[in-house]
mmCIF file of all heavy atoms in Angstrom:
data_model
loop_
_atom_site.group_PDB
_atom_site.id
_atom_site.type_symbol
_atom_site.label_atom_id
_atom_site.label_comp_id
_atom_site.label_asym_id
_atom_site.label_seq_id
_atom_site.Cartn_x
_atom_site.Cartn_y
_atom_site.Cartn_z
ATOM 1 N N SER A 47 6.003 -0.669 13.440
ATOM 2 C CA SER A 47 6.251 -0.249 14.825
ATOM 3 C C SER A 47 6.340 1.272 14.890
ATOM 4 O O SER A 47 5.336 1.954 15.034
ATOM 5 C CB SER A 47 7.523 -0.918 15.357
ATOM 6 O OG SER A 47 8.611 -0.709 14.463
ATOM 7 N N ASN A 48 7.536 1.835 14.781
ATOM 8 C CA ASN A 48 7.715 3.284 14.840
ATOM 9 C C ASN A 48 8.091 3.849 13.480
ATOM 10 O O ASN A 48 8.861 4.797 13.374
ATOM 11 C CB ASN A 48 8.784 3.650 15.880
ATOM 12 C CG ASN A 48 8.340 3.310 17.279
ATOM 13 O OD1 ASN A 48 7.178 3.486 17.634
ATOM 14 N ND2 ASN A 48 9.268 2.808 18.089
ATOM 15 N N GLU A 49 7.550 3.272 12.423
ATOM 16 C CA GLU A 49 7.872 3.713 11.071
ATOM 17 C C GLU A 49 6.867 4.766 10.612
ATOM 18 O O GLU A 49 5.774 4.906 11.175
ATOM 19 C CB GLU A 49 7.850 2.520 10.115
ATOM 20 C CG GLU A 49 8.762 1.374 10.529
ATOM 21 C CD GLU A 49 8.550 0.146 9.655
ATOM 22 O OE1 GLU A 49 8.302 0.330 8.452
ATOM 23 O OE2 GLU A 49 8.629 -0.976 10.180
ATOM 24 N N ASN A 50 7.251 5.464 9.568
ATOM 25 C CA ASN A 50 6.351 6.423 8.946
ATOM 26 C C ASN A 50 5.335 5.674 8.091
ATOM 27 O O ASN A 50 5.695 5.051 7.095
ATOM 28 C CB ASN A 50 7.147 7.404 8.082
ATOM 29 C CG ASN A 50 6.255 8.455 7.433
ATOM 30 O OD1 ASN A 50 5.067 8.552 7.735
ATOM 31 N ND2 ASN A 50 6.829 9.239 6.543
ATOM 32 N N ILE A 51 4.066 5.713 8.498
ATOM 33 C CA ILE A 51 3.058 4.909 7.796
ATOM 34 C C ILE A 51 2.765 5.460 6.403
ATOM 35 O O ILE A 51 2.178 4.769 5.570
ATOM 36 C CB ILE A 51 1.750 4.843 8.604
ATOM 37 C CG1 ILE A 51 1.156 6.243 8.784
ATOM 38 C CG2 ILE A 51 1.983 4.183 9.954
ATOM 39 C CD1 ILE A 51 -0.204 6.239 9.444
ATOM 40 N N TYR A 52 3.158 6.701 6.128
ATOM 41 C CA TYR A 52 2.911 7.295 4.813
ATOM 42 C C TYR A 52 4.123 7.216 3.903
ATOM 43 O O TYR A 52 4.143 7.822 2.835
ATOM 44 C CB TYR A 52 2.479 8.756 4.980
ATOM 45 C CG TYR A 52 1.234 8.904 5.810
ATOM 46 C CD1 TYR A 52 1.295 9.424 7.095
ATOM 47 C CD2 TYR A 52 -0.006 8.506 5.319
ATOM 48 C CE1 TYR A 52 0.148 9.552 7.878
ATOM 49 C CE2 TYR A 52 -1.151 8.620 6.086
ATOM 50 C CZ TYR A 52 -1.068 9.147 7.368
ATOM 51 O OH TYR A 52 -2.202 9.263 8.127
ATOM 52 N N ALA A 53 5.146 6.486 4.329
ATOM 53 C CA ALA A 53 6.323 6.311 3.478
ATOM 54 C C ALA A 53 5.977 5.425 2.279
ATOM 55 O O ALA A 53 4.996 4.678 2.293
ATOM 56 C CB ALA A 53 7.469 5.699 4.277
ATOM 57 N N LEU A 54 6.819 5.500 1.241
ATOM 58 C CA LEU A 54 6.538 4.764 0.018
ATOM 59 C C LEU A 54 6.729 3.252 0.178
ATOM 60 O O LEU A 54 6.174 2.477 -0.591
ATOM 61 C CB LEU A 54 7.430 5.278 -1.127
ATOM 62 C CG LEU A 54 7.155 6.718 -1.587
ATOM 63 C CD1 LEU A 54 8.133 7.121 -2.686
ATOM 64 C CD2 LEU A 54 5.715 6.847 -2.085
ATOM 65 N N ASN A 55 7.522 2.827 1.157
ATOM 66 C CA ASN A 55 7.732 1.396 1.330
ATOM 67 C C ASN A 55 6.443 0.761 1.865
ATOM 68 O O ASN A 55 5.942 1.105 2.935
ATOM 69 C CB ASN A 55 8.895 1.123 2.299
ATOM 70 C CG ASN A 55 8.745 1.863 3.611
ATOM 71 O OD1 ASN A 55 8.314 3.003 3.624
ATOM 72 N ND2 ASN A 55 9.095 1.204 4.705
ATOM 73 N N PHE A 56 5.903 -0.174 1.076
ATOM 74 C CA PHE A 56 4.613 -0.785 1.423
ATOM 75 C C PHE A 56 4.759 -1.808 2.537
ATOM 76 O O PHE A 56 3.938 -1.864 3.459
ATOM 77 C CB PHE A 56 4.020 -1.448 0.174
ATOM 78 C CG PHE A 56 2.636 -1.992 0.380
ATOM 79 C CD1 PHE A 56 1.535 -1.146 0.349
ATOM 80 C CD2 PHE A 56 2.435 -3.344 0.614
ATOM 81 C CE1 PHE A 56 0.257 -1.647 0.545
ATOM 82 C CE2 PHE A 56 1.173 -3.843 0.810
ATOM 83 C CZ PHE A 56 0.075 -2.985 0.763
ATOM 84 N N LEU A 57 5.812 -2.620 2.494
ATOM 85 C CA LEU A 57 6.012 -3.653 3.505
ATOM 86 C C LEU A 57 6.723 -3.074 4.721
ATOM 87 O O LEU A 57 7.599 -2.218 4.590
ATOM 88 C CB LEU A 57 6.832 -4.809 2.919
ATOM 89 C CG LEU A 57 6.187 -5.584 1.761
ATOM 90 C CD1 LEU A 57 7.144 -6.641 1.242
ATOM 91 C CD2 LEU A 57 4.874 -6.222 2.193
ATOM 92 N N PRO A 58 6.343 -3.508 5.926
ATOM 93 C CA PRO A 58 7.017 -2.999 7.135
ATOM 94 C C PRO A 58 8.475 -3.433 7.184
ATOM 95 O O PRO A 58 8.796 -4.586 6.881
ATOM 96 C CB PRO A 58 6.208 -3.623 8.273
ATOM 97 C CG PRO A 58 5.532 -4.817 7.674
ATOM 98 C CD PRO A 58 5.277 -4.478 6.243
ATOM 99 N N GLN A 59 9.359 -2.523 7.544
ATOM 100 C CA GLN A 59 10.783 -2.839 7.632
ATOM 101 C C GLN A 59 11.085 -3.718 8.844
ATOM 102 O O GLN A 59 11.946 -4.594 8.780
ATOM 103 C CB GLN A 59 11.600 -1.538 7.696
ATOM 104 C CG GLN A 59 11.466 -0.676 6.445
ATOM 105 C CD GLN A 59 12.244 0.619 6.564
ATOM 106 O OE1 GLN A 59 12.718 0.969 7.636
ATOM 107 N NE2 GLN A 59 12.359 1.346 5.452
ATOM 108 N N HIS A 60 10.388 -3.482 9.929
ATOM 109 C CA HIS A 60 10.583 -4.277 11.148
ATOM 110 C C HIS A 60 9.219 -4.754 11.643
ATOM 111 O O HIS A 60 8.603 -4.110 12.502
ATOM 112 C CB HIS A 60 11.289 -3.446 12.230
ATOM 113 C CG HIS A 60 12.567 -2.819 11.772
ATOM 114 N ND1 HIS A 60 13.721 -3.546 11.569
ATOM 115 C CD2 HIS A 60 12.861 -1.523 11.455
ATOM 116 C CE1 HIS A 60 14.686 -2.742 11.171
ATOM 117 N NE2 HIS A 60 14.195 -1.504 11.086
ATOM 118 N N PRO A 61 8.702 -5.851 11.074
ATOM 119 C CA PRO A 61 7.360 -6.328 11.445
ATOM 120 C C PRO A 61 7.242 -6.584 12.943
ATOM 121 O O PRO A 61 8.154 -7.118 13.574
ATOM 122 C CB PRO A 61 7.223 -7.641 10.652
ATOM 123 C CG PRO A 61 8.216 -7.521 9.533
ATOM 124 C CD PRO A 61 9.354 -6.721 10.077
ATOM 125 N N SER A 62 6.095 -6.174 13.491
ATOM 126 C CA SER A 62 5.882 -6.301 14.927
ATOM 127 C C SER A 62 4.397 -6.514 15.212
ATOM 128 O O SER A 62 3.532 -6.017 14.468
ATOM 129 C CB SER A 62 6.387 -5.053 15.648
ATOM 130 O OG SER A 62 6.014 -5.079 17.021
ATOM 131 N N LEU A 63 4.113 -7.255 16.287
ATOM 132 C CA LEU A 63 2.734 -7.456 16.741
ATOM 133 C C LEU A 63 2.377 -6.525 17.890
ATOM 134 O O LEU A 63 1.364 -6.730 18.575
ATOM 135 C CB LEU A 63 2.536 -8.916 17.179
ATOM 136 C CG LEU A 63 2.669 -9.975 16.081
ATOM 137 C CD1 LEU A 63 2.581 -11.368 16.689
ATOM 138 C CD2 LEU A 63 1.575 -9.793 15.024
ATOM 139 N N ALA A 64 3.190 -5.503 18.103
ATOM 140 C CA ALA A 64 2.973 -4.594 19.229
ATOM 141 C C ALA A 64 1.629 -3.888 19.133
ATOM 142 O O ALA A 64 0.962 -3.663 20.153
ATOM 143 C CB ALA A 64 4.104 -3.568 19.282
#
Side-chain angles (χ1 to χ4, degrees):
S47 52
N48 294 321
E49 305 172 36
N50 181 8
I51 62 174
Y52 301 108
L54 293 178
N55 52 321
F56 186 80
L57 296 177
Q59 297 178 349
H60 307 287
S62 172
L63 295 175

